[in-house]
Amino acid sequence: MLIHKTLLLLPIILTPIPVSATPSRPSKPPDNQQHVLASPSPISPQRSRVEGFISLGDSYSAGIGTRPSPSLPDESRCRQGRGAYPYLLASDFLSPSPSPSANSSFQWLSCTGSTTHDLLSSSPPSSSQIDRINTTYPPTFATLTIGGNDLDFFSVLNACVFRFYGPWYGSSCSAALSSAEEMFSPNSTQHLQLKLRIRLILTEILNKIRWDHHPKFLITVTGYAQFFNADTTLCDDTSLGIWLGGAEKLTRHVRKHLNSLVKKANQLLEEVAEEVDAGFLATSPSPDKRRKKIVFINYDAAFTGHRFCEPKVKEPAYSRKETWFFLPGGVDVDQAGNTYPYEEKTNIIDKTNPLVNPETCLEAAGRTGGDWGEKALCHMARAKQHDPKLEMREKKKKPGDDSMWFTPTYYGKTFHPRSAGHEAIRDRIYQVWEEHGLLD
């Protein structure tokens, strides 16, 4: 899209611009199952209030790895999971259960790997998430989680935590952290461009659904949660590295720095959401009676006690149900303690039928934007090809078996919320809605 190459030439306009009513292209999200979910929210909204619900964004709103189901293929393009907070919201609002489709009031357009570029509409209309919104159903609200892939959290986690691929040297983590910090420098080109793209996304969503015809329509922007307890000492000599030997340690310095990036990302998202919402307030004939158009949800505090490296926890703690983030290949768990094992595995190092071709996979991984799983698979396959002696930390399947077993979701869900975390996000959304009177 040409707009991405000229963003800095465009004025930053916060005033909403109504658009004419034009036929919408039907959205076509992946086919999904119809199941009633357990662990209902303690806040039970009236279902009759919701006529249309749109979910947009990245893997955090797709719920990668949560509640795997045969009727929602684990390796589908967007890797949506039934434990995702948008699905949980839809389960509360839509009876008997959500059934996202092109002819449904629940449009689940969130897709693993999405960046801001994947949401922005274009002229003529393309297949972006905003272009695919179907306005046939009167919209009530939309949820949006975006920005993590633009900030390239994956490269930082690779250099400082997992080391899926090299180069491996003593300062690689520090270099990755410094590069990420540049994204948060207020005057950097990358920072200004990202803020502008998020502004455009919010305005485009409101224009797409014709905000002036739907005064109660609300966009709920959700942020991210800090990954670590950064004060404990037991993790200082622990590593989550994929390969045997030479992995970065989870020192307090590294943990604090990674947490700082998450907090800065939340701050950026909150600032933009409030700026755009204030633009609508300024144009309202009765500002004191005007309902919010955009609200930001910071749910980070809900994850306190449920992060990696909590007191007396020796990582990697695969069996710890109280941790609300995934480890590579780990099982899913909800707040009730129910587990959902992940069993599908595919051998990517298969000379006759490889899942990942190390010679060509970089181009494909680049096209998927920020898909952590595909990036990890590609770079790990290339690392193994370059150095056949590399051995994984995981236990081999049988004596002499030196193959690598995983799928994009197996690693892609790492450091993403498990179902328990998504339940906390859903509940925090309800709390903020109540605080603002948005459930009335």
Side-chain angles (χ1 to χ4, degrees), residues 24-158:
S24 300
R25 299 179 65 190
S27 64
K28 193 175 182 180
D31 294 331
N32 298 303
Q33 75 300 323
Q34 303 180 37
H35 290 285
V36 178
L37 293 175
S39 304
S41 171
I43 303 174
S44 181
Q46 294 183 12
R47 303 179 183 216
S48 60
R49 291 178 179 152
V50 174
E51 298 177 85
F53 169 24
I54 305 163
S55 169
L56 304 162
D58 56 24
S59 51
Y60 265 59
S61 54
I64 181 173
T66 61
R67 301 181 192 263
S69 169
S71 53
L72 202 155
D74 182 70
E75 294 306 315
S76 63
R77 183 177 65 87
C78 288
R79 302 193 184 95
Q80 296 170 334
R82 291 186 296 116
Y85 80 85
Y87 194 93
L88 298 175
L89 290 171
S91 298
D92 284 342
F93 281 112
L94 305 176
S95 180
S97 63
S99 178
S101 70
N103 299 310
S104 169
S105 57
F106 175 33
Q107 299 178 60
W108 196 4
L109 304 175
S110 307
C111 196
T112 293
S114 291
T115 65
T116 51
H117 296 286
D118 297 306
L119 269 77
L120 285 166
S121 62
S122 62
S123 181
S126 67
S127 59
S128 76
Q129 291 187 29
I130 291 176
D131 286 328
R132 290 163 55 205
I133 293 175
N134 183 355
T135 57
T136 301
Y137 291 87
T140 302
F141 66 91
T143 60
L144 170 67
T145 305
I146 199 68
N149 294 323
D150 296 82
L151 296 169
D152 200 13
F153 281 159
F154 175 81
S155 293
V156 177
L157 291 177
N158 172 68

Side-chain angles (χ1 to χ4, degrees), residues 211-232:
W211 62 272
D212 52 328
H213 287 219
H214 303 284
K216 293 186 177 181
F217 179 79
L218 174 73
I219 301 176
T220 298
V221 181
T222 58
Y224 301 91
Q226 297 175 74
F227 303 122
F228 300 101
N229 179 319
D231 298 321
T232 57

